[in-house]
Amino acid sequence: MKNPTRAARICQSFDAAEKYDQAATVQRVAARELFQHIHTSMAGKKPLRILEIGCGTGLLTEHLRVCWPDAEIVATDFAPNMLARAKIRLGESVTYHQMDATAPDVRGPFDLICGNLIMQWLPDPAKVLRTLAELLAPGGVLAVSTLLDGTFAEWQQACQQEGQQPATPVYPELANAQNWRPPAFSGGWAEQDIVQAFADGLDFVRHLKATGASVPREGAVPLSAMQLRHIALRFQQAGCAITWRVGYACFRKPARKGVFVTGTDTGIGKTLVSACLVRRWQGAYWKPLQSGLADEEGDTPTVKKLAGDPPCFKPAGAFLASLSPDAAARAEGVQIDPAQLVLPQGEAAKPLVVEGAGGLMVPATPDLMMIDLAQRWGLPVVLVARSGLGTLNHTLLSLEALRARQIAVAGVVLSGPLNAENRETIAQKGKVRILAEVPFCADITPNVVSELAELFPQWDDIYPR
C-alpha cells in the first residue's frame, strides 16, 4: 500500500504485534481498572448486551465475560489479527466483529459500551463517543480509558535533552477529555499513573513495537540509529522507568429525556420555571416529594393549571408541614421509602421536568439529600438562582457541588430583575449556559406562563438530536 493513512498504519502495527499478550502489562492493568469502574457504574444491574470497541486480544472482554456470563458480548476491533487472538483467548462465547470505532456498523441498543486504551488512537474522540451514545439503551453506561498528557514523560525528557523532538503521540490533557462527555450524560474521569520499569532505553522501544503502539505521531521525523542510542542512554541514566498516565471515564445515559429542576434556595421560583419548561417543551411533570400542603394546594396542581394541563405524575410522597420532605414525613410519623423514588417512564417521548424540593442539600430521606436523588436519576440539572445581590456565592457553590458529583448541568435560570453583571459572572466562572432570565411577576396566570415560556430554548436547542 502506497502512503497508507495513519489509521491503516495503526491497524498494520497492531496486526503485527504477535507478542502483544506477553508485553501488554500496562494494558492488562488498565483493563482490570476500567472493569472495576464499569462494575461500580452498573450499580448491580446486569447488562444484557455489551459492545466493546478496540477489544484487542480480549483483556477487558475476559473480565466482562466472567462477570456477566449471560450477556451478549459483541467484541470489535479494527485489526483482524487482534480479533483472531481474542477468539483464541475466549472461544465462541463472544461475538467477534471487525469494525472501525469511528464508523460503528452494529445495531443497538446496548446496555454497556466500553473500550480500553483506544480513545488516544482516534482522530475525534468526542465525536466517536457521541456516535456510540446513540447506540446505548436508556440508563446505559459508556466506559472508556485513554492515555493522557504526561504519558512517556521520561522518554520525552530524554529526547529534549538530546535536542530532539520525540515521535510519541500528543495525548489529550484531562481538562480536554472532560469535554468528551456526550450531551446530557452524567459521569466523568478518574486518573491513574502506572509506572513500568525497563532494562534499558531500547527495551522500551522494543516494548512499544511488541504491543503495536510504535506508530509515531503524524508528521514526526524518524530518529536516526545514533540519535536513538543517545536518547536511550539518557533515559537509562534517569532510571529506565516510564509513566503511563491513564484516564478512566464512565458516562451514564439518562434513563429518559428530561431535566431535574433545583434551586439555590427555597422560594426561588422552581415551580414557575418548571411550568415554563413543561409549556415550552410540551413536556410532562413530576414532583416526587411535596411538603407544605397545609398552606398551599401543592406544585403538581399548580403546574397542571399554569402549563396547559400537561401529563403529571403522582408524587411519591406528599406531606402537610412546610418542612424538608424528610422532616415533614417524620412529623406525620412516616418514612419515605427510597424504593418509591423511581423516575416515571410514562409519556417517554416527552421531556420530563422533575422538580426537587428546596435546594441541593435539602434532606429527602434520612439518608438521601436532593443532590443524591439528582445523581441517582441521572437527568441534567436546571439550576434556578436569584439574579440579584448574594446570588454569586450560592450559585457557584451549587454548580461546584453538582460537578463534584459528575452530574450534568443543562444550565442556569436567573429569577428576578435583569442583572447583566451577575449573568456574565455566573456564565463565565460557572462555565454554564444561562437558559433564561425570568422577571418578577406579581400575578402568574397561564397566559403569563405561556409568554415567559418563550424566553426558554427549545429542548432540541439544548440537546440536539
Side-chain angles (χ1 to χ4, degrees), residues 310-332:
C312 292
F313 297 98
K314 183 180 178 181
F319 311 102
L320 295 174
S322 296
L323 301 169
S324 72
D326 176 46
R330 284 189 282 106
E332 296 182 22

Side-chain angles (χ1 to χ4, degrees), residues 355-402:
E355 183 185 347
L360 292 169
M361 297 303 174
V362 167
T365 75
D367 301 316
L368 297 172
M369 312 288 272
M370 277 293 152
I371 193 170
D372 296 309
L373 296 180
Q375 187 171 29
R376 171 187 288 191
W377 292 326
L379 298 178
V381 166
V382 172
L383 179 65
V384 185
R386 300 188 193 282
S387 61
L389 186 65
T391 192
L392 297 181
N393 185 61
H394 292 165
T395 306
L396 295 177
L397 281 175
S398 295
L399 290 171
E400 186 173 319
L402 289 166

Side-chain angles (χ1 to χ4, degrees), residues 231-397:
I231 292 168
L233 181 59
R234 287 274 192 182
F235 174 71
Q236 186 171 329
Q237 291 170 345
C240 281
I242 280 288
T243 298
W244 308 68
R245 182 157 295 161
V246 184
Y248 304 93
C250 286
F251 304 124
R252 180 176 296 280
K253 187 173 187 174
R256 62 166 297 157
K257 184 163 62 173
V259 295
F260 177 79
V261 178
T262 189
T264 57
D265 200 354
T266 188
I268 199 74
K270 295 188 305 296
T271 303
L272 174 58
V273 168
S274 296
C276 290
L277 292 174
V278 170
R279 185 62 178 256
R280 181 64 164 161
W281 298 339
Q282 295 299 296
Y285 176 81
W286 185 43
K287 177 82 172 186
L289 296 172
Q290 175 72 67
S291 55
L293 292 177
D295 304 312
E296 57 182 47
E297 62 176 348
D299 296 329
T300 301
T302 299
V303 169
K304 198 168 186 66
K305 177 177 65 179
L306 293 176
D309 197 24
C312 292
F313 297 98
K314 183 180 178 181
F319 311 102
L320 295 174
S322 296
L323 301 169
S324 72
D326 176 46
R330 284 189 282 106
E332 296 182 22
V334 298
Q335 190 169 5
I336 297 167
D337 182 3
Q340 299 299 313
L341 299 173
V342 179
L343 282 178
Q345 292 303 309
E347 302 287 345
K350 296 178 178 291
L352 175 67
V353 177
V354 179
E355 183 185 347
L360 292 169
M361 297 303 174
V362 167
T365 75
D367 301 316
L368 297 172
M369 312 288 272
M370 277 293 152
I371 193 170
D372 296 309
L373 296 180
Q375 187 171 29
R376 171 187 288 191
W377 292 326
L379 298 178
V381 166
V382 172
L383 179 65
V384 185
R386 300 188 193 282
S387 61
L389 186 65
T391 192
L392 297 181
N393 185 61
H394 292 165
T395 306
L396 295 177
L397 281 175

Side-chain angles (χ1 to χ4, degrees), residues 178-259:
Q178 300 283 12
N179 298 323
W180 296 356
R181 183 172 68 181
F185 279 48
S186 58
W189 291 87
E191 274 186 293
Q192 179 189 32
D193 279 355
I194 304 172
V195 179
Q196 185 174 6
F198 291 93
D200 53 47
L202 294 180
D203 187 33
F204 167 62
V205 175
R206 288 190 290 269
H207 169 84
L208 291 181
K209 186 173 183 179
T211 57
S214 59
V215 179
R217 74 174 186 278
E218 199 72 45
V221 178
L223 298 169
S224 69
M226 182 176 293
Q227 289 169 337
L228 194 57
R229 282 196 298 271
H230 288 170
I231 292 168
L233 181 59
R234 287 274 192 182
F235 174 71
Q236 186 171 329
Q237 291 170 345
C240 281
I242 280 288
T243 298
W244 308 68
R245 182 157 295 161
V246 184
Y248 304 93
C250 286
F251 304 124
R252 180 176 296 280
K253 187 173 187 174
R256 62 166 297 157
K257 184 163 62 173
V259 295

Side-chain angles (χ1 to χ4, degrees), residues 8-85:
R9 293 198 302 273
I10 292 170
C11 180
Q12 292 167 2
S13 182
F14 279 106
D15 262 348
E18 295 180 359
K19 297 182 179 180
Y20 182 92
D21 277 345
Q22 297 96 306
T25 302
V26 170
Q27 290 81 352
R28 189 171 276 103
V29 171
R32 183 172 61 247
E33 184 70 16
L34 178 60
F35 172 75
Q36 292 301 324
H37 285 279
I38 291 171
H39 192 264
T40 300
S41 294
M42 294 306 297
K45 296 179 181 177
K46 294 182 179 180
L48 300 178
R49 298 192 75 214
I50 300 172
L51 171 65
E52 184 182 358
I53 59 170
C55 70
T57 62
L59 298 177
L60 174 60
T61 325
E62 191 168 32
H63 289 288
L64 300 172
R65 175 80 293 164
V66 170
C67 186
W68 296 300
D70 298 326
E72 176 193 354
I73 300 177
V74 181
T76 72
D77 201 284
F78 193 33
N81 287 350
M82 280 290 186
L83 283 173
R85 293 168 196 140

Side-chain angles (χ1 to χ4, degrees), residues 404-454:
R405 298 288 193 97
Q406 299 180 339
I407 299 170
V409 178
V412 169
V413 177
L414 294 174
S415 176
L418 296 180
N419 189 315
E421 180 68 26
N422 283 347
R423 174 195 170 103
E424 183 178 345
T425 301
I426 290 169
Q428 181 182 16
K429 301 294 185 184
K431 295 181 175 62
V432 71
R433 178 177 179 176
I434 306 299
L435 295 177
E437 295 173 276
V438 178
F440 172 77
C441 299
D443 186 21
I444 300 175
T445 66
N447 286 338
V448 169
V449 168
S450 183
E451 292 176 7
L452 292 176
E454 296 297 318

